[in-house]
C-alpha cells in the first residue's frame, strides 16, 4: 500500500466545535486554522490528485467534534459526510485508512477535563461506536495518532491545548486514559468487523546523547527513549518478543518517522526528562535541516522499523515527510527514505505500506501554514493544488512496489 496522509483539523477548515478552534479564536494559540485547505468541500478533488500520483491508499481522520459537537448530541450530517469521503476513496481505488483521533478534541470534552477524566475512554468509545455504524467497508483503523506527542505538547511543553507546562502526573494520567481508549475502541471495531485491522500511530524517535562521552547525556537519552518510545506500549500491555500477546492489543503498529534528536541535561534523576535538545552534537554525518529545524536522517527509518519489529507485529509507515520549500531537498528526502524502506522490505520486515506526510500543504498546528509538507503545493488564497515534481518519486516507487520489485534507479 502506497499513499499519503492528512488530518481533519489540518486540512478541512471550519472545525468550529473543537478545542483547537476555541483556543485559536481566543488568541491562546499563535495561528488560526480558518478555512485552511477547504478539504471538507474539496475532498473529491484531492482524491483525484492522489490517484493521479499513483497512490492506492489514503489516510484521513474523522473530526470527533463534528460528529459530537455537544456531549451526547450527534450530528448525523457529519457522519453522512465521512461516509461520502469513504465512498469517494473507494471509487478512486484508494484504500481508506481511518484515524479516529488526531490531536483535536471536542471543546466540551476539553472543558470538562479532557483526557484527564476518569471516564475519558468511555466517552471516546461512545464516539467510536457511533462512527463505525456509519462507515462500512473500512478495513484499516488507527485509533489514536501519536499519544505521547499529545501528552508532551499539551502537558509538558505547554504548546498545545490545554497548555499545561511540566504537569508530569497529568501527562501520565492522559497516557493511561489514551491507552484505555485505544483498547476500548479496538474492541468496538472488532465487534462490528472482526476482520478489521486496528493499530495506533506512534511517533518513533531516535534519541541520542549530545555528547556520548558524558554520562549525564547518555542518561538523559535513555530516559527520553523510555518515555517517548516505550511507555505507551507498556501501558497497552505490549512486551518485546511477545507477538501472540501483543496481537490481542494491536493488529499493526503505525510508524510516524521524521528525524532524530540529540539531548543533554544538567542533572540526574527523573528531572533529566526535561533535558534540552541540541542541534549540533558530537556526532558525524549530520544531514541538512528542514524549515522546522528537523534533521534529515534517512537511515533512522530503517532503525525504527527494525526496532519496532521486535514486537512481532506488522508495521505500517503512517507518516514520513519534510517541511521545505526546496523541492529538490524533498526529492532527495523521498528517494533516500524510500530506498531505506525498500531495503527493509527486501530484508523481510513486515511492512504493510507507506504513507507520506502529507498529500497537500496544511495547517501545521502551532506553526501555522508556513511549513510546507505537501506532495502538492496549496495556494491558500485560491485553494489551487499544484503537484510538486518530487511527488513523482513516490509515484515511481508505488508503481515498482506494487509490481513486487525495485530497479537500480529507484
Amino acid at each position: 500500500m502506497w499513499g499519503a496522509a492528512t488530518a481533519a483539523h489540518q486540512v478541512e477548515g471550519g472545525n468550529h466545535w473543537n478545542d483547537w478552534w476555541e483556543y485559536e479564536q481566543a488568541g491562546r494559540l499563535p495561528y488560526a486554522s480558518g478555512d485552511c485547505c477547504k478539504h471538507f468541500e474539496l475532498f473529491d478533488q484531492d482524491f483525484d490528485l492522489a490517484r493521479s500520483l499513483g497512490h492506492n491508499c489514503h489516510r484521513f481522520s474523522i473530526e470527533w467534534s463534528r460528529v459530537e459537537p455537544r456531549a451526547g448530541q450527534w450530528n448525523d450530517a457529519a457522519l453522512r459526510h465521512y461516509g461520502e469521503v469513504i465512498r469517494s476513496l473507494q471509487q478512486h481505488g484508494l484504500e481508506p485508512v481511518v484515524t479516529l483521533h488526531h490531536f483535536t478534541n471536542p471543546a466540551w470534552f476539553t472543558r470538562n477535563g479532557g483526557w484527564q477524566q476518569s471516564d475519558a475512554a468511555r466517552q471516546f468509545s461512545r464516539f467510536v461506536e457511533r462512527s463505525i455504524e456509519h462507515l462500512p467497508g473500512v478495513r484499516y483503523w488507527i485509533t489514536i495518532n501519536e499519544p505521547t506527542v499529545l501528552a508532551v505538547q499539551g502537558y509538558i511543553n505547554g504548546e498545545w491545548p490545554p497548555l499545561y507546562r511540566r504537569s508530569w502526573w497529568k501527562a501520565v494520567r492522559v497516557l493511561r486514559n489514551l491507552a484505555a481508549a485505544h483498547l476500548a475502541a479496538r474492541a468496538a471495531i472488532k465487534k462490528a468487523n472482526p476482520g478489521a485491522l486496528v493499530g495506533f500511530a506512534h511517533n518513533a524517535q531516535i534519541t541520542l546523547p549530545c555528547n556520548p562521552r558524558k554520562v549525564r547525556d547518555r542518561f538523559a537519552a535513555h530516559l527520553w527513549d523510555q518515555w517517548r518510545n516505550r511507555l505507551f506500549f507498556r501501558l497497552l500491555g505490549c512486551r518485546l518478543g511477545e507477538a501472540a500477546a501483543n496481537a490481542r492489543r494491536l493488529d499493526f503498529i503505525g510508524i510516524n518517522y521524521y528525524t532524530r534528536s540529540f539531548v543533554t541535561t544538567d542533572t540526574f534523576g527523573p528531572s533529566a526528562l526535561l533535558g534540552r535538545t541540541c542541534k549540533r552534537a558530537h556526532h558525524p554525518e549530520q544531514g541538512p535541516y528542514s524549515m522546522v529545524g528537523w534533521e534529515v536522517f534517512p537511515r533512522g527509518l530503517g532503525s525504527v522499523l527494525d526496532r519496532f519489529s521486535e514486537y512481532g507485529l506488522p508495521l505500517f509507515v503512517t507518516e514520513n515527510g519534510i517541511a521545505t520549500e526546496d523541492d529538490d531537498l524533498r526529492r532527495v528526502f523521498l528517494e533516500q527514505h524510500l530506498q531505506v524502506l525498500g531495503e527493509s522490505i527486501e530484508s523481510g520486515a513486515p511492512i504493510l505500506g507507506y504513507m507520506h506526510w502529507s498529500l497537500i500543504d496544511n495547517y501545521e498546528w502551532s506553526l501555522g501554514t508556513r511549513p510546507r509538507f505537501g506532495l502538492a503545493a496549496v495556494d491558500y488564497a485560491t485553494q489551487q493544488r499544484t503537484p510538486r515534481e518530487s511527488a513523482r518519486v513516490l509515484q515511481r516507487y508505488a508503481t515498482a512496489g506494487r509490481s513486487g520489485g525495485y530497479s537500480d534507479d529507484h
Side-chain angles (χ1 to χ4, degrees), residues 239-295:
R239 298 290 183 270
L240 296 175
E242 298 182 13
N246 295 340
R248 293 194 290 271
R249 298 165 177 86
L250 292 166
D251 295 301
F252 66 88
I253 300 170
I255 297 293
N256 294 356
Y257 173 75
Y258 290 94
T259 189
R260 62 177 174 177
S261 298
F262 298 99
V263 296
T264 185
T265 184
D266 299 319
T267 184
F268 285 103
S271 58
L273 282 167
L274 295 172
R276 60 189 183 277
T277 60
C278 54
K279 179 170 285 190
R280 288 297 171 188
H282 295 255
H283 289 262
E285 300 180 29
Q286 288 190 268
Y289 285 79
S290 73
M291 63 191 303
V292 295
W294 297 349
E295 182 196 7

Side-chain angles (χ1 to χ4, degrees), residues 381-396:
T382 65
Q383 292 301 331
Q384 179 69 34
R385 277 72 159 147
T386 304
R388 294 185 165 104
E389 283 302 311
S390 57
R392 304 304 174 187
V393 175
L394 178 57
Q395 184 173 10
R396 293 198 304 270

Side-chain angles (χ1 to χ4, degrees), residues 204-387:
Q205 294 200 5
I206 296 175
T207 306
L208 300 170
C210 287
N211 188 342
R213 296 181 180 180
K214 290 186 176 180
V215 174
R216 286 178 177 173
D217 286 14
R218 296 200 304 271
F219 178 70
H222 172 74
L223 284 185
W224 273 49
D225 177 66
Q226 294 302 307
W227 163 247
R228 294 171 184 257
N229 280 324
R230 296 302 191 191
L231 178 58
F232 193 73
F233 287 90
R234 293 193 180 100
L235 293 174
L236 287 178
C238 295
R239 298 290 183 270
L240 296 175
E242 298 182 13
N246 295 340
R248 293 194 290 271
R249 298 165 177 86
L250 292 166
D251 295 301
F252 66 88
I253 300 170
I255 297 293
N256 294 356
Y257 173 75
Y258 290 94
T259 189
R260 62 177 174 177
S261 298
F262 298 99
V263 296
T264 185
T265 184
D266 299 319
T267 184
F268 285 103
S271 58
L273 282 167
L274 295 172
R276 60 189 183 277
T277 60
C278 54
K279 179 170 285 190
R280 288 297 171 188
H282 295 255
H283 289 262
E285 300 180 29
Q286 288 190 268
Y289 285 79
S290 73
M291 63 191 303
V292 295
W294 297 349
E295 182 196 7
V296 176
F297 185 63
R299 288 194 293 112
L301 176 60
S303 297
V304 298
L305 292 175
D306 183 61
R307 185 176 189 194
F308 287 95
S309 67
E310 295 173 2
Y311 287 101
L313 299 169
L315 305 176
F316 202 148
V317 180
T318 42
E319 290 182 27
N320 174 239
I322 181 172
T324 183
E325 293 179 327
D326 180 352
D327 202 44
D328 285 337
L329 179 57
R330 180 178 286 103
R331 176 186 56 77
V332 172
F333 178 98
L334 274 161
E335 288 174 345
Q336 292 178 341
H337 283 79
L338 292 173
Q339 180 63 41
V340 170
L341 178 70
E343 292 168 358
S344 295
I345 293 171
E346 290 168 355
S347 66
I351 309 299
L352 291 174
Y354 172 93
M355 289 184 288
H356 187 76
W357 184 268
S358 65
L359 177 62
I360 55 178
D361 291 335
N362 56 64
Y363 173 78
E364 193 55 38
W365 306 110
S366 57
L367 301 175
T369 56
R370 186 184 69 87
R372 297 286 178 155
F373 275 96
L375 293 173
V378 174
D379 182 328
Y380 292 105
T382 65
Q383 292 301 331
Q384 179 69 34
R385 277 72 159 147
T386 304

Side-chain angles (χ1 to χ4, degrees), residues 36 133 348 353:
C36 200
E133 292 175 3

Side-chain angles (χ1 to χ4, degrees), residues 2 346 396-407 410:
W2 301 87
E346 290 168 355
R396 293 198 304 270
Y397 271 82
T399 301
R402 287 197 297 273
S403 65
Y406 299 82
S407 75
H410 44 79

